[in-house]
Amino acid sequence: MKNVFLSLTLCCLLAACGQLTDGESASPLEGTWLLRYVEYPTGEAYDYSIEGKGTYCLLYDSDSMLYESIISMTPSGFVIMPTAKRVVTLIDKGGGERLYLEDGDPHPLTISSDTAITIQRKGALYSLVRDDDLYLEWGTEIREIIIRDLGSENSMARNYYVLSAKERQQERDLQWHGYVFMLIIVISFFIAQYIVSKRRAMRRLQLQLQQIREVKENRPQAVRQIVASVENDFFASDDYAALQRRIASGRVMKDVDWQTVEQHLKSICPGFTTQLRNLRPMSELEYQVCLLIKLRIAPKDIAAVLSRDVSTISTVRSRLYKKVFGRKGGAREWDDFILSIG
């Protein structure tokens, strides 16, 4: 997961750097421009708007290609009529002067600002304004329509194409629904994997519990008597009495003390710690509580030696019971189970 996060972060940084670089090196003409005003040498002038009959749309692909069309806005969306595709060259001569060529034909070009340019053709001045929203929303479609239309056999015919905002929204909705559907599938897959994993773990646990019961039930009577005798002898020994005094003093137990506890348990219940570790992953606190329960240490003394409240020790025991058996159970039930294994 950490590697995936680092990879995603690196990709985002590279993408951001790429956008910065593109922004710095982008052509001043790149984008979509709409004709708004034309002034002729005779003094006549005309205003143009995308509404009604429409206006000319010039789409510049960097400094190398111009896609020209007539565009108008209707209730059903934008209507596009391709008119020309030209190779363009924009040469920066320095000092703010630029040389602009369309298919090798030079035209005076004035870049008034980032959003306004003026091109002179046959003496007429064509004033255009940038429309970034149109470029971002429909730039790719406009370019593809002009390329496809002007490259067809009937390229001389005047063909009209509609860019429907409603259809675009429907496409986006379908795409969004597809993403949501895929997300649901992925989430469902991980949930199913989690459920299967939990069931497998529970089956393994049930098998271990069954094996523990079978081992104890199938012990010969003689072995049972020997185990009971060993336990009785230990709990009546001076070593156990010393251990009880050590715990009853309330002093925090050190690593060497816990090693002594484990040695005592191995002497009377050789398989206990192994069976305990194999049941479920346990925290150190949970493991230590189980060791002391097996040694028949009272809950209040367990709490004292572990520097915990008695209620905390009770919660740990109840939580362990639910972890192992998959159902709610009391602290006393967990104690009985711990005392029964080994």
Side-chain angles (χ1 to χ4, degrees), residues 124-181:
L125 296 177
Y126 292 79
S127 298
L128 301 101
V129 295
R130 183 189 295 275
D131 192 324
D132 289 332
D133 293 337
L134 180 64
Y135 183 70
L136 293 174
E137 181 71 17
W138 297 107
T140 301
E141 286 79 1
I142 293 174
R143 184 187 297 107
E144 291 176 352
I145 286 173
I146 295 173
I147 293 173
R148 184 172 61 250
D149 184 272
L150 298 181
S152 63
E153 294 180 357
N154 60 341
S155 60
M156 299 300 294
R158 295 171 66 88
N159 299 313
Y160 294 87
Y161 302 88
V162 178
L163 301 176
S164 172
K166 183 177 181 181
E167 291 180 1
R168 169 60 64 86
Q169 187 60 46
Q170 289 175 345
E171 291 177 359
R172 288 176 175 171
D173 291 342
L174 288 174
Q175 188 178 45
W176 171 250
H177 292 157
Y179 290 148
V180 172
F181 180 70

Side-chain angles (χ1 to χ4, degrees), residues 192-311:
Q193 288 291 99
Y194 175 76
I195 293 174
V196 170
S197 176
K198 291 285 288 184
R199 287 180 177 176
R200 288 176 178 173
M202 186 57 66
R203 283 197 294 269
R204 287 196 298 269
L205 182 59
Q206 290 174 349
L207 180 60
Q208 290 173 351
L209 293 175
Q210 182 179 352
Q211 291 173 343
I212 291 173
R213 288 193 297 268
E214 290 177 352
V215 168
K216 188 168 184 179
E217 291 173 358
N218 294 332
R219 282 177 179 172
Q221 185 62 31
V223 174
R224 294 184 184 182
Q225 291 177 351
I226 293 173
V227 171
S229 176
V230 170
E231 289 182 356
N232 293 334
D233 290 343
F234 171 74
F235 289 122
S237 66
D238 293 337
D239 289 339
Y240 182 67
L243 178 62
Q244 281 190 314
R245 288 193 299 271
R246 172 71 179 80
I247 293 175
S249 67
R251 291 178 296 172
V252 176
M253 295 178 64
K254 300 178 181 179
D255 291 342
V256 65
D257 298 319
W258 288 113
Q259 292 173 5
T260 301
V261 168
E262 289 184 329
Q263 289 174 357
H264 287 320
L265 284 173
K266 288 179 181 179
S267 66
I268 60 174
C269 304
F272 173 75
T273 55
T274 300
Q275 291 175 347
L276 186 62
R277 290 289 193 186
N278 289 337
L279 285 176
R280 292 296 293 269
M282 291 185 182
S283 67
E284 194 63 22
L285 174 63
E286 292 172 334
Y287 178 69
Q288 291 171 351
V289 168
C290 293
L291 296 184
L292 296 179
I293 291 172
K294 188 64 175 176
L295 289 175
R296 302 179 186 177
I297 304 301
K300 63 180 183 61
D301 293 330
I302 295 177
V305 80
L306 294 176
S307 300
R308 299 289 196 280
D309 294 333
V310 176
S311 60

